[in-house]
Amino acid sequence: MKIRNPFLLRASERIESDAGFLRLYSPLILDYFIDNMDGGELWNTFLFIRSSPGAGKSSLLRLFEPTSLLTLLNRKSGDEFKEVFKKLKKLNAVSDDRINVLGVNLTFTRNYELLESFSNLPPGTRDRLFYSLLNSRIITATLRAALSITRLRFPEDLHKIEFKYKDENLYFKKINIPCNGHELYNWAAGIEKAIYELLDSFLPVNPTSIEGHSELFSLEALRPDSLLVEGRSLFDRILFMLDDVHKLSAKQREGLITHLLEKRTNASIWLSERLEVLNNLKTNRGRDYEELNLENYWKDRESKFEKLLTSIAVKRAAESREDVEFALDAQQSELELAEVYKEAKKTLSNTINTLSAGTTRFNEWKNHLFQFEGTDQETCELAKQIEILIHRNLAKSELALDYSLSILELQEKTDEKVVQAARLFLSRQFNLPYFFGMTVLAKISTNNVEQFLGFSAPLYERMLSLNLNQTSVSISARDQDREIRKLANEKWKDLNKMIPDSVLVTRFLENFCTFCINETFRPTAPYAPGVNGFYIDATRTIKLINEDEWLSNDIFTDLQIVLNTCLAFNLLHVKEVMQGKKGQKKNIYYLNRWLCVKFGLPLSYGGWRTKKPDDLLRWTKR
Amino acid sequence: MRTLLADKLLAKIMEWTPEEIDRERPLLQAMADLKWNEYQQFSPGTRFLESLIKWLQQFENLEDRKTGYRLVRDHLIFISSEQLAHLVDIIFSEKVNPILIKKTACEKGLSPHLVTKILNDNSYSQNLRMSLFVGLSDGSRIDQFRRGAFLNNEQVIATYSISGGKVGDMVEKLRQEIPDSKFKTLFLIDDFTASGKTYCRADGGGKLGKIFTSIFEPGGTFHPAVDHINLEVHILFYVATTDALENIRQGVEGWKKKNKKEFSCTVECLLPIDDSVKMKIVSDNELMAFMEKYFDPSIVDKHYKEGKHDLPYLGFNECCLPIVLNHNSPNNSVAILWLPTDKKYKGLFPRISRHRENKYED
């Protein structure tokens, strides 16, 4: 059923119908897998899928679930589904007449963590219970998936599954293998039930009565050739998708990952988790496993991400019952802003004249400006660029020869960064729209689809309202800017409700952003177009406080908390840059772009300052 | 498409800016979808939005339309079928069972917190069986109540106006389970009361007056079925104003005093509505003037006059409630919300009256 504003639909978990989900899903992320396919790195590997909330992890996993693939197979000729089908076919997940991959999705919940709270149980026992629970759930999930993909009924048709695994390692102690699906299910469900009783009981339960497992053998035992449905092997591979791994305790998570890496099973295993720990930054990619950090993937492919968002916007708008396209004006409305630019022109001219009084150095530049035949907007932009360059020139400490700088020199000094800085300064000084257009909205989304939907929902609501009023549905640049800033302010206010340690975090961000504003809007625009990130320089200094290993130093606890929270909730994100000595990489912490909107900072990357941990720690204080 | 046309018309008559449309439309659509559309007295083909447009269009100018809209947006309390069903589902565990547990605890000399012990005691089962549940109107949803509470059919009746024969059957069935017994506890259940004025009159009028008379007067329908000496009466409402509860309590005391009868009687409700709802409206001069302006005095009939009616536009007995129930609007609500369709001004949720005018009365 069509709804008024489909941009309000969030999170794949909440789109109930598979067809609805597939209709709205944009499969550009599958290009990552297609690119990796040639290297044979897609299947039979261990892949980490990481991101902050809303980047599309669960949607990606849902795509490979049996019901999604079945729906897709049934509708592969439909226009809305062709693109997804084509890409999945390239991955060998589907072919024209069958599904090749059995996707088994197991979402971790916090009740695994509960096992850790049984302090009276020895750690070894807790580990065994953990693996038992995990094995039983993987087995039951796989049986369900197998029936689903073959359109059989669960649990009535479990007996139609044959489990023919050769149990050479004697993993299956209390059940005779081979067996049918019904027997296997009962065995697994029995283990799960016994562990639930342990978790739910107020009284002590003897854990020795529960069958414990020392390893995760289910991933090895469940293979396409060992799981037959009605006597046939119906899929080429099984893809185990373990979602929300961050919900395990730290010990469980580490144990599970270590175990999986050591086991080196040939199974295809995808682990999906949120970025919740600073130590995630130290992963060893490529050597033991692959990692797909969704935000990092899009960070390096800005135009592709914009294409993804445009595709999502088109699909979502098509689901609206009001037949309104998602259209963002990428130009300022010159008529609307005519008066503003007129006034701005006068002001800027006076400023330049005042600045350059007492020297003839800038006469040619001034003449160029006064003879400029562009629109008022273009003239103002040029004036601002000249103003910045004049400030830079005047700020130079060496004695300058008082000769007139040429137009050529003006053009040489006016690089893209100065142009961007000038636009930003202009918008701030004269209250002109700055945040508008699809490209800017894509940047503000900071590589997160849900963030894009969060900003586009009210914009689409406005388009619907304009359509109702029978005016043009194109929102003016000024209105876009206003709505986007309003939303950023609302998100800022909501931080108190959304994140832990909000007082500490917001204080840090406010102090940091104040610093960024001060640095950005210096008249010389030294870090054009502006500062919105920092690098932590933890090299030893002469100071008394040892700033080495600040990650583990108790003095920096507040800073650790702030950075962990900011990373987990996507308030800061990390971008790797090559700078300094050859091959030296630096992790730059950038503000989420909606914070840049809130504080009126530019959206570009590249503007960052080096800070000591001690400096950053001070920002957590008043 | 029709919704879109309605939205366009609404935006036009309210002269909303795009910002106002952004704000109001999602809210209206959400509330309409959630509950306002389910109002049972809309004419065929009409849903909330259409009714709202027709309602707003009858006001003379934009200012009045904005005031009317404000009344709906900021004050309306619509109790949906689902919400009422929820109240029906929980009234047994929230109100009835605690009464029975307390009663049993008292009889057995147990502390009321020993719930499991009490529930397992035979006395509790007997007390439950010797309870009679009576619906005071069709809104009481006594059938749903009975099913939800797993009650015996022989102890639940949908109306207080039943035959002596039926009552006799019920007592006979009771005595088959508990020899020589009668109903000791009476639960009288209704959905909503706003004034409570007409529930119990000392002269035996009103629903409760009639029931008490029937219980205590020899020859009354309930007289042989009820244990007069140990009788407990509990009057329960799903929704009620605090004023109404107090009026009913006073009415019951008045009846007891006049008829020289003594029995335990409580009056309770699940969802009390206090004075603040009325005061918010009454303290708004603009709203008061608006309601006075758009009022049809022809609705003040003899039934209406039974309550206070100096400011009749505030609803029956000047209750001034902004309440609408999914099946009908109570006449205690502000008149502009419920005026019937044949009046000078039409209500947003037009009401069907319980008391039909007799055209042939002088």
Side-chain angles (χ1 to χ4, degrees):
Chain A
M1 199 179 83
K2 294 202 168 192
I3 63 173
R4 190 192 73 255
N5 187 346
F7 288 81
L8 291 169
L9 280 172
R10 305 289 167 76
S12 75
E13 297 100 37
R14 288 181 230 138
I15 302 172
E16 283 181 14
S17 119
D18 289 308
F21 161 69
L22 288 168
R23 220 178 275 122
L24 294 174
Y25 188 78
S26 186
L28 283 176
I29 188 64
L30 294 178
D31 289 346
Y32 166 83
F33 297 102
I34 293 170
D35 295 339
N36 279 333
M37 185 104 182
D38 292 335
E41 286 172 5
L42 174 59
W43 304 116
N44 307 327
T45 54
F46 186 40
L47 172 70
F48 261 109
I49 302 173
R50 287 197 175 113
S51 77
S52 48
K57 296 187 296 300
S58 297
S59 296
L60 179 58
L61 301 191
R62 184 175 173 176
L63 192 60
F64 289 89
E65 285 179 14
T67 49
S68 300
L69 293 177
L70 275 171
T71 305
L72 194 60
L73 201 61
N74 270 333
R75 296 170 200 231
K76 57 184 181 291
S77 306
D79 286 336
E80 308 137 304
F81 305 102
K82 267 186 191 154
E83 199 194 348
V84 184
F85 183 77
K86 230 167 77 174
K87 287 189 192 280
L88 284 173
K89 195 174 163 187
K90 272 191 187 167
L91 296 177
N92 287 334
V94 293
S95 43
D96 286 326
D97 55 354
R98 82 192 267 270
I99 294 166
N100 301 331
V101 169
L102 178 69
V104 178
N105 194 345
L106 186 71
T107 304
F108 284 112
T109 54
R110 295 276 175 206
N111 64 13
Y112 288 93
E113 215 179 4
L114 280 176
L115 286 170
E116 290 293 302
S117 64
F118 288 95
S119 51
N120 57 321
L121 297 177
T125 307
R126 279 182 256 153
D127 288 344
R128 289 170 63 78
L129 289 174
F130 172 62
Y131 285 122
S132 288
L133 187 58
L134 205 43
N135 276 326
S136 62
R137 282 185 173 166
I138 288 172
I139 288 170
T140 51
T142 307
L143 290 170
R144 269 182 208 268
L147 288 179
S148 178
I149 211 170
T150 46
R151 293 192 199 84
L152 293 171
R153 297 164 305 163
F154 176 87
E156 292 90 343
D157 292 330
L158 274 170
H159 65 278
K160 294 183 183 175
I161 296 177
E162 283 174 72
F163 182 55
K164 290 183 123 173
Y165 174 68
K166 282 194 187 133
D167 191 16
E168 287 160 354
N169 294 319
L170 301 174
Y171 291 135
F172 295 89
K173 291 186 280 289
K174 293 188 181 176
I175 178 174
N176 292 326
I177 304 293
C179 63
N180 67 35
H182 189 71
E183 288 158 348
L184 185 61
Y185 177 81
N186 283 343
W187 169 79
I191 294 174
E192 200 178 341
K193 194 173 162 199
I195 298 177
Y196 279 152
E197 279 171 12
L198 173 73
L199 291 175
D200 291 346
S201 174
F202 285 114
L203 299 170
V205 171
N206 185 0
T208 55
S209 59
I210 304 171
E211 185 182 332
H213 301 156
S214 54
E215 54 189 301
L216 202 57
F217 56 78
S218 52
L219 299 179
E220 189 191 309
L222 295 166
R223 291 191 202 140
D225 54 359
S226 63
L227 208 60
L228 308 178
V229 183
E230 291 178 321
R232 297 170 295 154
S233 174
L234 289 172
F235 30 85
D236 298 340
R237 59 179 54 82
I238 301 180
L239 169 62
F240 295 101
M241 301 179 284
L242 308 180
D243 199 3
D244 288 348
V245 175
H246 58 275
K247 287 186 181 168
L248 297 175
S249 71
K251 184 170 168 282
Q252 285 169 339
R253 180 186 168 276
E254 209 176 301
L256 174 66
I257 293 168
T258 309
H259 176 80
L260 288 172
L261 289 172
E262 282 172 3
K263 199 84 173 121
R264 295 191 176 277
T265 170
N266 285 333
S268 303
I269 305 169
W270 292 0
L271 262 65
S272 152
E273 63 176 358
R274 282 189 195 175
L275 284 170
E276 283 197 343
V277 286
L278 277 169
N279 289 329
N280 276 349
L281 299 169
K282 297 184 198 163
T283 51
N284 295 319
R285 278 187 66 178
R287 206 176 64 187
D288 298 318
Y289 57 85
E290 276 302 306
E291 181 187 338
L292 168 58
N293 183 310
L294 289 170
E295 270 116 353
N296 282 350
Y297 178 79
W298 293 121
K299 243 183 272 178
D300 300 329
R301 295 163 183 79
E302 271 187 28
S303 59
K304 198 163 186 180
F305 186 67
E306 188 181 331
K307 195 176 157 196
L308 169 77
L309 296 185
T310 307
S311 163
I312 289 173
V314 164
K315 285 172 186 263
R316 292 249 170 178
E319 289 297 301
S320 171
R321 60 173 181 238
E322 297 190 15
D323 206 24
V324 170
E325 279 181 12
F326 186 82
L328 289 178
D329 212 339
Q331 300 295 331
Q332 292 185 15
S333 164
E334 298 196 27
L335 281 173
E336 199 188 8
L337 300 167
E339 282 306 313
V340 180
Y341 276 115
K342 217 169 174 169
E343 277 307 307
K345 225 168 94 169
K346 277 188 218 152
T347 309
L348 289 166
S349 298
N350 292 338
T351 307
I352 288 172
N353 284 332
T354 310
L355 267 179
S356 57
T359 175
T360 55
R361 244 182 286 160
F362 309 109
N363 284 355
E364 278 191 57
W365 291 5
K366 285 195 291 190
N367 287 336
H368 172 68
L369 175 63
F370 299 140
Q371 286 161 17
F372 184 64
E373 283 178 358
T375 61
D376 283 350
Q377 181 182 342
E378 288 166 339
T379 309
C380 287
E381 285 173 7
L382 176 62
K384 201 63 186 176
Q385 290 158 26
I386 290 174
E387 185 190 319
I388 290 171
L389 293 173
I390 291 176
H391 273 294
R392 283 185 180 180
N393 190 282
L394 293 174
K396 282 185 185 162
S397 51
E398 69 262 23
L399 287 172
L401 296 169
D402 210 21
Y403 68 91
S404 190
L405 294 163
S406 69
I407 305 301
L408 186 63
E409 279 169 301
L410 171 66
Q411 286 165 350
E412 278 171 4
K413 291 177 193 299
T414 311
D415 58 16
E416 185 56 29
K417 289 183 180 179
V418 170
V419 169
Q420 292 298 329
R423 265 199 208 125
L424 180 65
F425 285 25
L426 257 185
S427 82
R428 183 178 157 100
Q429 186 176 355
F430 299 104
N431 198 23
L432 292 163
Y434 184 75
F435 300 112
F436 59 92
M438 190 62 195
T439 305
V440 166
L441 187 60
K443 286 187 178 155
I444 292 171
S445 306
T446 320
N447 312 306
N448 187 297
V449 173
E450 199 149 302
Q451 191 160 310
F452 165 72
L453 292 174
F455 276 91
S456 40
L459 291 173
Y460 191 68
E461 192 69 53
R462 176 56 59 87
M463 290 175 209
L464 296 174
S465 303
L466 289 170
N467 181 50
L468 209 63
N469 256 353
Q470 289 166 328
T471 50
S472 158
V473 296
S474 190
I475 315 174
S476 70
R478 192 183 266 305
D479 283 346
Q480 288 179 53
D481 181 272
R482 196 180 297 138
E483 282 299 319
I484 288 171
R485 285 181 200 262
K486 183 175 147 200
L487 200 58
N489 279 321
E490 280 168 13
K491 280 173 77 79
W492 177 257
K493 281 185 204 146
D494 281 348
L495 277 182
N496 284 335
K497 294 178 232 162
M498 301 294 286
I499 61 172
D501 302 296
S502 60
V503 172
L504 205 57
V505 170
T506 51
R507 191 187 297 143
F508 173 83
L509 288 172
E510 266 173 332
N511 285 331
F512 172 53
C513 291
T514 305
F515 167 78
C516 290
I517 290 168
N518 292 339
E519 294 290 278
T520 299
F521 292 102
R522 278 156 60 174
T524 51
Y527 307 103
V531 175
N532 49 37
F534 60 87
Y535 165 68
I536 305 177
D537 178 9
T539 53
R540 197 178 280 276
T541 65
I542 306 168
K543 290 184 188 173
L544 288 173
I545 297 168
N546 183 1
E547 288 167 338
D548 274 359
E549 301 303 323
W550 64 273
L551 273 169
S552 48
N553 189 331
D554 283 346
I555 295 171
F556 296 97
T557 303
D558 279 357
L559 180 60
Q560 292 156 18
I561 290 170
V562 164
L563 292 183
N564 262 327
T565 309
C566 284
L567 286 174
F569 288 87
N570 203 19
L571 298 171
L572 292 174
H573 58 283
V574 174
K575 209 168 177 181
E576 220 172 54
V577 300
M578 308 285 278
Q579 214 195 47
K581 291 180 199 156
K582 192 180 173 184
Q584 187 183 20
K585 287 185 195 170
K586 286 185 176 175
N587 284 327
I588 312 297
Y589 292 77
Y590 281 107
L591 287 170
N592 188 308
R593 271 34 204 152
W594 74 260
L595 285 165
C596 294
V597 173
K598 155 76 187 159
F599 289 95
L601 293 166
L603 305 176
S604 52
Y605 288 95
W608 52 271
R609 300 301 305 281
T610 299
K611 283 286 166 192
K612 293 284 185 191
D614 189 43
D615 299 327
L616 297 174
L617 184 66
R618 270 196 219 108
W619 282 340
T620 65
K621 317 291 177 198
R622 285 202 190 280
Chain B
M1 187 56 77
R2 205 177 109 184
T3 314
L4 187 58
L5 287 170
D7 286 344
K8 280 186 180 167
L9 193 48
L10 182 61
K12 193 173 172 196
I13 63 174
M14 293 298 291
E15 296 180 26
W16 278 337
T17 60
E19 286 84 359
E20 284 172 315
I21 298 173
D22 282 354
R23 197 177 56 235
E24 301 303 327
R25 205 157 77 110
L27 182 68
L28 281 176
Q29 282 191 5
M31 290 305 290
D33 287 343
L34 182 66
K35 44 187 187 176
W36 293 343
N37 276 338
E38 71 170 51
Y39 185 65
Q40 290 176 8
Q41 306 308 333
F42 284 142
S43 54
T46 301
R47 297 174 90 193
F48 172 74
L49 214 51
E50 288 88 5
S51 184
L52 180 65
I53 290 166
K54 279 190 260 187
W55 187 69
L56 290 169
Q57 275 181 325
Q58 68 189 334
F59 304 135
E60 281 167 14
N61 53 55
L62 179 63
E63 208 184 305
D64 285 347
R65 288 197 286 275
K66 286 198 185 292
T67 308
Y69 182 76
R70 199 161 53 78
L71 173 64
V72 175
R73 191 193 192 281
D74 297 345
H75 297 278
L76 175 66
I77 300 173
F78 187 102
I79 300 176
S80 69
S81 172
E82 214 173 295
Q83 286 172 323
L84 209 53
H86 175 68
L87 294 174
V88 174
D89 281 342
I90 65 172
I91 197 167
F92 184 85
S93 50
E94 290 289 311
K95 292 291 177 191
V96 173
N97 214 22
I99 290 170
L100 293 173
I101 288 170
K102 195 174 167 191
K103 183 184 174 90
T104 309
C106 198
E107 284 170 8
K108 302 296 290 188
L110 290 171
S111 184
H113 75 267
L114 298 172
V115 175
T116 305
K117 195 166 184 173
I118 293 166
L119 290 175
N120 289 335
D121 197 295
N122 198 40
S123 296
Y124 168 83
S125 311
Q126 288 193 340
N127 279 330
L128 175 59
R129 184 59 184 89
M130 288 192 284
S131 299
L132 181 63
F133 299 89
V134 183
L136 293 179
S137 72
D138 46 12
S140 66
R141 301 200 189 190
I142 203 75
D143 58 327
Q144 186 188 336
F145 167 77
R146 180 184 63 75
R147 284 191 296 274
F150 299 103
L151 291 171
N152 191 319
N153 216 0
E154 302 303 329
Q155 61 186 136
V156 180
I157 45 177
T159 171
Y160 57 90
S161 177
I162 61 168
S163 68
K166 169 69 181 168
V167 172
D169 283 344
M170 292 175 82
V171 175
E172 205 184 304
K173 290 267 165 43
L174 174 63
R175 283 174 180 167
Q176 282 171 9
E177 291 177 50
I178 306 171
D180 299 322
S181 61
K182 289 186 180 183
F183 290 109
K184 284 177 16 179
T185 320
L186 202 57
F187 290 96
L188 305 175
I189 299 174
D190 209 347
D191 58 344
F192 173 75
T193 179
S195 70
K197 283 251 171 199
T198 53
Y199 263 84
C200 190
R201 295 197 295 271
D203 62 2
K207 290 178 193 176
L208 297 178
K210 286 178 188 156
I211 293 172
F212 295 150
T213 305
S214 162
I215 289 170
F216 288 101
E217 204 164 89
T221 314
F222 286 107
H223 184 81
V226 170
D227 181 346
H228 302 113
I229 297 167
N230 299 307
L231 178 65
E232 276 181 31
V233 177
H234 301 282
I235 303 159
L236 299 175
F237 295 93
Y238 301 128
V239 184
T241 63
T242 47
D243 283 347
L245 296 177
E246 192 46 44
N247 287 337
I248 294 170
R249 285 184 195 114
Q250 285 174 10
V252 170
E253 287 308 307
W255 189 92
K256 282 200 269 187
K257 204 170 171 184
K258 179 154 191 226
N259 294 277
K260 295 188 179 62
K261 298 289 177 195
E262 200 40 60
F263 56 90
S264 163
C265 181
T266 68
V267 185
E268 296 277 347
C269 85
L270 265 181
L271 185 65
I273 295 174
D274 64 21
D275 225 19
S276 61
V277 162
K278 171 180 176 176
M279 293 320 296
K280 259 177 76 178
I281 296 176
V282 160
S283 60
D284 188 326
N285 294 332
E286 203 177 54
L287 268 179
M288 292 290 280
F290 164 81
M291 291 187 297
E292 187 179 4
K293 182 176 175 183
Y294 295 103
F295 177 69
D296 186 341
S298 70
I299 62 156
V300 183
D301 57 14
K302 70 172 185 188
H303 300 290
Y304 211 85
K305 285 176 182 169
E306 285 173 17
K308 200 161 169 251
H309 58 279
D310 298 329
L311 306 174
Y313 51 86
L314 295 183
F316 177 74
N317 201 40
E318 294 182 13
C319 285
C320 191
L321 295 174
I323 294 178
V324 173
L325 305 176
N326 77 297
H327 60 274
N328 203 8
S329 298
N331 65 354
N332 315 86
S333 290
V334 296
I336 191 59
L337 284 180
W338 55 261
L339 285 168
T341 48
D342 58 343
K343 298 299 171 192
K344 186 178 167 196
Y345 301 106
K346 286 146 195 36
L348 175 59
F349 297 99
R351 170 183 160 76
I352 302 292
S353 173
R354 270 191 304 130
H355 311 287
R356 293 293 188 149
E357 234 176 71
N358 188 338
K359 290 180 194 173
Y360 303 104
E361 269 181 11
D362 288 332

